């Protein structure tokens, strides 16, 4: 079962997606479907078939968002979180081989898309292992290959993608 937590940025992004799909994208596609249907034989009309399928995908996503958004709980930063890893934290960890990873712990609805490749779900084994840890703490994460050890280097709660790199 997915956790219902989400950052404010994530919630606003999903709300924006819903509004765009419902108020802009769906009316555009509906016009194309109506136009294509007016041409006659729909069985061999690629415009009609493609856009009808696109309309179904839009409707499916809008239904999902309308069901999901009211269930989500927005978690804002609180000063009491400083110094420990909690939901919304940017974390830098390092293993004994010197491999360094940077990521933000967010809700499962926020980890999809290109711009969020440095996000991990609060439901992931890594995030669960890191919760309540402090800088210089050792973290053991269970993986299919066995236990992996990591050390916490940095913790921050800035909302911007401060670690956005490639």
């Amino acid at each position: 079962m997915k956790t219902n937590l989400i950052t404010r940025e994530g919630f606003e992004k999903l709300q924006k997606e819903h509004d765009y799909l419902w108020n802009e994208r769906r009316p555009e596609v509906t016009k194309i479907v109506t136009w294509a249907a007016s041409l006659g034989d729909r069985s061999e009309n690629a415009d009609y078939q493609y856009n009808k399928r696109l309309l179904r995908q839009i409707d499916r996503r809008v239904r999902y968002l309308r069901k999901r958004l009211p269930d989500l709980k927005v978690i804002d930063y609180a000063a009491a979180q400083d110094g420990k890893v909690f939901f919304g934290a940017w974390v830098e960890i390092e293993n004994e081989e010197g491999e360094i990873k940077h990521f933000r712990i967010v809700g499962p609805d926020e980890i999809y898309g290109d711009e969020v490749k440095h996000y991990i779900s609060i439901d992931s084994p890594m995030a669960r292992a890191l919760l309540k840890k402090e800088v210089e703490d050792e973290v053991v994460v269970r993986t299919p290959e066995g236990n992996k050890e990591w050390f916490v280097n940095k913790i921050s709660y800035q909302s911007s993608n401060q670690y956005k790199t490639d």
Side-chain angles (χ1 to χ4, degrees), residues 71-85:
D71 293 340
L72 293 172
K73 182 175 185 213
V74 176
I75 304 295
D76 288 313
Y77 163 78
Q81 295 173 311
D82 279 345
K84 290 192 177 193
V85 177

Side-chain angles (χ1 to χ4, degrees), residues 6-27 58 61-62 65-66 68-70 72 74 109-110 115:
I6 193 166
T7 62
R8 179 145 321 269
E9 298 95 333
F11 186 83
E12 289 169 359
K13 184 177 174 193
L14 289 180
Q15 187 67 54
K16 221 171 164 177
E17 178 188 0
H18 170 273
D19 293 347
Y20 167 75
L21 288 173
W22 186 250
N23 298 322
E24 294 177 40
R25 189 71 178 129
R26 190 177 194 286
I58 291 168
R61 183 65 178 165
V62 166
L65 290 171
R66 285 185 175 175
R68 187 76 175 137
L69 284 168
L72 293 172
V74 176
D109 294 283
E110 300 177 79
E115 69 281 356

Side-chain angles (χ1 to χ4, degrees), residues 23-132:
N23 298 322
E24 294 177 40
R25 189 71 178 129
R26 190 177 194 286
E28 289 170 6
V29 175
T30 302
K31 282 180 193 169
I32 295 169
V33 168
T34 304
W35 166 79
S38 73
L39 299 177
D41 185 11
R42 297 175 187 170
S43 64
E44 294 182 17
N45 186 329
D47 274 331
Y48 177 81
Q49 291 175 355
Y50 171 78
N51 286 290
K52 192 69 174 166
R53 184 173 29 251
L54 183 57
L55 193 57
R56 283 192 299 272
Q57 291 170 350
I58 291 168
D59 286 346
R60 187 171 27 255
R61 183 65 178 165
V62 166
R63 275 192 310 276
Y64 172 79
L65 290 171
R66 285 185 175 175
K67 186 177 180 202
R68 187 76 175 137
L69 284 168
D71 293 340
L72 293 172
K73 182 175 185 213
V74 176
I75 304 295
D76 288 313
Y77 163 78
Q81 295 173 311
D82 279 345
K84 290 192 177 193
V85 177
F86 289 106
F87 186 83
W90 279 100
V91 183
E92 177 184 288
I93 58 173
E94 183 175 358
N95 65 14
E96 290 176 339
E97 289 82 43
E99 180 185 2
I100 295 176
K101 293 187 181 283
H102 304 273
F103 49 79
R104 186 177 189 196
I105 299 173
V106 296
D109 294 283
E110 300 177 79
I111 60 171
Y112 302 103
D114 294 337
E115 69 281 356
V116 294
K117 67 164 83 178
H118 296 288
Y119 285 9
I120 65 169
S121 170
I122 186 78
D123 297 331
S124 70
M126 176 66 81
R128 291 289 181 198
L130 283 167
L131 288 178
K132 299 183 182 174

